[in-house]
Amino acid sequence: MNIKFLSSILFLFGTTMLFGQNSCSKYYPMEEGSTFQYTMYDKKDKVEGVTDYVVSKVENSGGNTTATMELKFTDDKGKNVLESDYNITCTGDGVKIDYRSLFPSQMKKQYEDMGMEMDITGTDIQIPNSLSAGQTLDDANVNVSMDMGAMKMNINVETYDRKVEKEESVTTPAGTFNCYLITEKSKSKVMMSNMETSNKVWISEGVGMIKQETYGKNGKLMSRMELTKFSK
């Protein structure tokens, strides 16, 4: 089991996937068939993989709109590494992600088939429709406890100190976009191993996340991810 990859996926789901626009949400897709592609690069600017997203289902109930996001992660050699999905709910003032759906469903089934008991807890991640420079955003976290008799493991990812810094223009292979820059910090704990990072995330109204950069505790760039394709 690649723990580093697993904690990275949890962090990726939970803090950066801001898409699309409709009457309910400015930064999440609520239209079936919308697609987004993000390319991930390492600190030397080498491609590490590509993640493709599609909005597979949209449902309305009790004044709320819920969208199901399906994703496929392909590594730098073109191998399909992971397929999963998670849910986004829009209430009109903004959106929240169900923390229980953040753990990749493909991995969850695999571990349960092995007899592993799992408990997933956390705080639903919320993104308001209105963003402005100087604004502070709520913290978020997800914790996964796994128990298979002799082996027990906890994975915790916390995102905190989230701030909207400023507006600026960003260019990627998908085009040039007017964005809000959001900065945040993250702590990942896997048993006795800890990792701290800081992140910069650029999001654009009507499109969503355009670019993300992740820095290590020493302030050096570790990786980046940017929008390379999208369609609505």
Side-chain angles (χ1 to χ4, degrees), residues 11-18 38 184 201 203 209 212 225:
F11 171 72
L12 183 69
F13 286 2
T15 63
T16 63
M17 295 296 99
L18 311 175
Y38 291 87
E184 59 191 22
V201 182
I203 66 173
M209 193 189 80
Q212 175 193 333
M225 178 170 59

Side-chain angles (χ1 to χ4, degrees), residues 95-208:
V95 295
K96 63 180 181 179
I97 303 175
D98 178 8
Y99 63 79
R100 292 180 183 85
S101 71
L102 293 180
F103 192 95
S105 56
Q106 187 181 66
M107 288 186 180
K108 185 176 180 181
K109 184 178 186 304
Q110 177 185 353
Y111 297 153
E112 288 177 344
D113 288 346
M114 294 167 56
M116 183 177 291
E117 295 182 2
M118 300 181 61
D119 182 34
I120 304 174
T121 58
T123 303
D124 284 343
I125 300 155
Q126 300 187 33
I127 303 292
N129 277 337
S130 58
L131 295 177
S132 60
Q135 184 176 3
T136 299
L137 303 180
D138 291 342
D139 296 346
N141 70 83
V142 60
N143 185 80
V144 181
S145 298
M146 294 178 281
D147 186 346
M148 195 171 68
M151 184 179 75
K152 296 182 180 180
M153 183 178 299
N154 286 314
I155 300 173
N156 180 263
V157 180
E158 296 184 24
T159 306
Y160 62 100
D161 198 15
R162 305 172 65 217
K163 299 177 182 178
V164 183
E165 296 290 343
K166 60 182 178 179
E167 292 184 68
E168 61 183 11
S169 178
V170 174
T171 298
T172 75
T176 299
F177 307 90
N178 293 321
C179 299
Y180 281 106
L181 168 61
I182 297 175
T183 58
E184 59 191 22
K185 296 179 181 178
S186 176
K187 290 183 180 179
S188 300
K189 297 181 180 180
V190 183
M191 300 188 70
M192 300 301 293
S193 176
N194 298 326
M195 182 174 67
E196 296 183 20
T197 62
S198 59
N199 306 280
K200 295 180 178 179
V201 182
W202 288 264
I203 66 173
S204 180
E205 184 174 329
V207 181

